Amino acid sequence: MAVYTIGQAAEKAGLSVSALRYYEKEGLLPFVDRTEGGQRVFKDEDFNWLSIIECLKSTGVPIREIKRYIDWCMEGDATLEQRRDWFVAQKARVEEQIAEYRRHLDKINYKIWYYERAVQNGTDGGQPSNCSALEEEYRRLQKQGDR
């Protein structure tokens, strides 16, 4: 079984040493062993934990909620339903985030199309008064391209 120092673990996980120390301080690393001298010793299976922590963190889950999830895991099978339900709710939040980003991306794509037209015409007309008509044209062209 391979073991890693905190520095090696940070490098392997793509995190900083300070991030790992922060996670430990917040109670997110109860699974990490320590040597008799008190040094952290990471094992290969610990990287699965770090991966889920990073996944949850990057999707906006607060540290206190990640800790609650890890605590449930440490409690064992008695919390299986809670964990499943929690992930179902988290999935819904992430799906909403994705939908929101798609709406933002659509607006950005429209603006790119708008400015490509303006560059070709040498002007954007000076006023956004025709934005509704242009957005309609853009949507029509988008639908034609989807066919």
Side-chain angles (χ1 to χ4, degrees), residues 13-38:
L15 299 168
S16 67
V17 170
S18 61
L20 290 178
R21 287 190 175 122
Y22 173 71
Y23 290 169
E24 182 174 48
K25 181 180 133 259
E26 294 298 318
L28 303 183
L29 306 180
F31 48 86
V32 174
D33 295 330
R34 287 188 175 259
T35 65
E36 287 182 20

Side-chain angles (χ1 to χ4, degrees), residues 93-108:
R93 286 189 293 270
V94 169
E95 286 173 339
E96 180 52 39
Q97 288 173 331
I98 290 169
E100 184 176 343
Y101 277 119
R102 283 189 179 128
R103 289 187 297 272
H104 294 318
L105 181 59
D106 191 43
K107 181 61 84 174
I108 289 168

Side-chain angles (χ1 to χ4, degrees), residues 4-146:
Y4 306 87
T5 65
I6 192 168
Q8 293 167 328
E11 185 175 337
K12 181 173 175 155
L15 299 168
S16 67
V17 170
S18 61
L20 290 178
R21 287 190 175 122
Y22 173 71
Y23 290 169
E24 182 174 48
K25 181 180 133 259
E26 294 298 318
L28 303 183
L29 306 180
F31 48 86
V32 174
D33 295 330
R34 287 188 175 259
T35 65
E36 287 182 20
Q39 290 184 315
R40 296 166 196 87
V41 179
F42 290 80
K43 303 171 297 300
D44 284 322
E45 59 264 22
D46 296 341
F47 293 99
N48 294 327
W49 287 100
L50 294 174
S51 175
I52 194 66
I53 290 168
E54 284 300 297
C55 170
L56 295 171
K57 192 170 148 269
S58 69
T59 57
V61 177
I63 294 292
R64 70 182 178 284
E65 284 189 43
I66 297 172
K67 182 180 181 337
R68 183 176 56 182
Y69 163 70
I70 290 173
D71 288 345
W72 286 338
C73 291
M74 295 295 114
E75 288 177 36
D77 291 345
T79 63
L80 286 172
E81 286 184 35
Q82 288 169 294
R83 288 183 264 165
R84 181 208 53 217
D85 294 347
W86 187 79
F87 270 99
V88 167
Q90 180 58 20
K91 177 183 181 231
R93 286 189 293 270
V94 169
E95 286 173 339
E96 180 52 39
Q97 288 173 331
I98 290 169
E100 184 176 343
Y101 277 119
R102 283 189 179 128
R103 289 187 297 272
H104 294 318
L105 181 59
D106 191 43
K107 181 61 84 174
I108 289 168
N109 282 332
Y110 163 72
K111 292 307 263 185
I112 290 169
W113 174 84
Y114 174 87
Y115 284 112
E116 283 176 348
R117 278 184 52 135
V119 167
Q120 287 172 354
N121 294 332
T123 183
D124 71 353
Q127 296 286 333
S129 60
N130 61 351
C131 279
S132 295
L134 284 173
E135 283 197 48
E136 285 180 32
E137 181 182 351
Y138 173 74
R139 304 264 178 258
R140 183 179 53 74
L141 292 170
Q142 288 293 97
K143 285 180 183 176
Q144 287 177 351
D146 288 343

